């Protein structure tokens, strides 16, 4: 119970964890959370496929949610959700994320004047490509739907996807911190 782990590039917590050395899969059960860089990943179960001592694939099996705090705006969060998700890791960085089934996103770009906007989009499948830890492009298919609003025109409750939960205080910040008691 109350499993916590810490690596410089990946931290996590869950109720129960199983690691199978035969296939190098770490399975996290009951309220699993993983933090990688500025991203928080949650779902009903998370499987981490290892390549030696490094993760190569993170599979959120059901109710996938990926959240990151927007730069300079602590009350806004970029969010992705779907039935399941797969994150592909190259050189210890997430490079591609596939959101599979009922994919939804909310993110906060700026207009040409630097004013905050809200982009809400949804589709059956979404691939997010990252380069140097920054969003490079998003591909949605087959028929994506989306709307771009000025931030001032959106109600606060419409800025969060269903299942949103920001758990910054639960994140282990050092190897000593994995022994901190949390509920």
């Amino acid at each position: 119970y109350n499993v916590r782990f810490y690596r410089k590039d990946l931290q996590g917590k869950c109720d129960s964890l199983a690691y199978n050395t035969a296939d190098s899969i770490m399975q996290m059960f009951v309220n699993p959370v993983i933090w990688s860089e500025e991203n928080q990943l949650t779902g009903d179960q998370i499987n981490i496929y290892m390549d030696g001592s490094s993760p190569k694939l993170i599979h959120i099996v059901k109710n996938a949610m990926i959240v990151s705090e927007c730069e300079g705006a602590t009350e806004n969060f970029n969010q992705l959700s779907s039935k399941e998700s797969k994150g592909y890791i190259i050189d210890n960085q997430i490079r591609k994320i596939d959101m599979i089934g009922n994919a939804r996103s909310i993110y906060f770009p700026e207009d040409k004047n630097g004013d905050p906007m809200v982009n809400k989009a949804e589709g059956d499948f979404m691939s997010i490509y990252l380069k140097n830890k920054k969003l490079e492009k998003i591909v949605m298919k087959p028929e994506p739907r989306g709307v771009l609003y000025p931030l001032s025109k959106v109600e606060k409750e419409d800025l969060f996807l269903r299942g949103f939960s920001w758990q910054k205080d639960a994140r282990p910040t050092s190897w000593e911190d994995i022994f901190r008691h949390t509920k």
Side-chain angles (χ1 to χ4, degrees):
Y1 301 105
N2 196 26
V3 175
R4 297 163 57 83
F5 64 87
Y6 175 85
R7 286 175 45 124
K8 184 179 176 183
D9 59 341
L10 191 71
Q11 302 84 44
K13 78 171 195 74
C14 59
D15 177 72
S16 304
L17 182 143
Y19 181 73
N20 186 339
T21 56
D23 55 12
S24 299
I25 300 174
M26 181 171 37
Q27 296 176 298
M28 300 172 68
F29 304 98
V30 187
N31 302 317
V33 183
I34 291 178
W35 295 272
S36 175
E37 303 290 340
E38 67 277 348
N39 298 304
Q40 173 189 283
L41 296 76
T42 59
D44 290 359
Q45 177 182 333
I46 299 176
N47 297 336
I48 303 173
Y49 296 78
M50 303 295 288
D51 182 14
S53 64
S54 298
K56 66 177 181 180
L57 172 69
I58 298 174
H59 182 198
I60 304 173
V61 178
K62 188 175 179 188
N63 293 319
M65 173 76 73
I66 301 173
V67 177
S68 64
E69 202 168 27
C70 294
E71 286 184 40
T74 56
E75 67 279 355
N76 295 332
F77 298 87
N78 292 319
Q79 303 156 62
L80 302 166
S81 72
S82 62
K83 290 182 180 178
E84 83 176 279
S85 175
K86 292 183 179 180
Y88 302 90
I89 301 169
I90 300 171
D91 298 327
N92 292 324
Q93 291 184 20
I94 295 177
R95 297 295 175 98
K96 179 184 176 198
I97 302 167
D98 288 335
M99 304 301 288
I100 305 160
N102 197 27
R104 298 173 185 264
S105 70
I106 295 178
Y107 66 96
F108 296 84
E110 293 180 348
D111 68 12
K112 60 184 175 186
N113 298 323
D115 294 325
M117 304 288 287
V118 180
N119 185 296
K120 296 178 81 170
E122 61 183 65
D124 292 334
F125 183 88
M126 182 185 318
S127 288
I128 297 91
Y129 296 87
L130 304 165
K131 187 173 184 178
N132 299 324
K133 302 178 187 178
K134 299 289 183 193
L135 178 67
E136 183 178 27
K137 69 178 175 177
I138 297 176
V139 177
M140 297 182 74
K141 46 186 167 181
E143 295 172 18
R145 299 161 300 284
V147 181
L148 185 64
Y149 302 98
L151 181 58
S152 62
K153 302 286 185 197
V154 180
E155 296 294 324
K156 184 149 180 84
E157 61 269 10
D158 293 328
L159 298 177
F160 301 96
L161 293 172
R162 183 182 303 146
F164 174 86
S165 173
W166 184 241
Q167 300 179 44
K168 180 179 181 179
D169 293 339
R171 184 178 192 170
T173 57
S174 67
W175 70 267
E176 295 99 339
D177 198 27
I178 64 174
F179 300 106
R180 170 176 46 120
H181 180 70
T182 61
K183 295 184 179 189

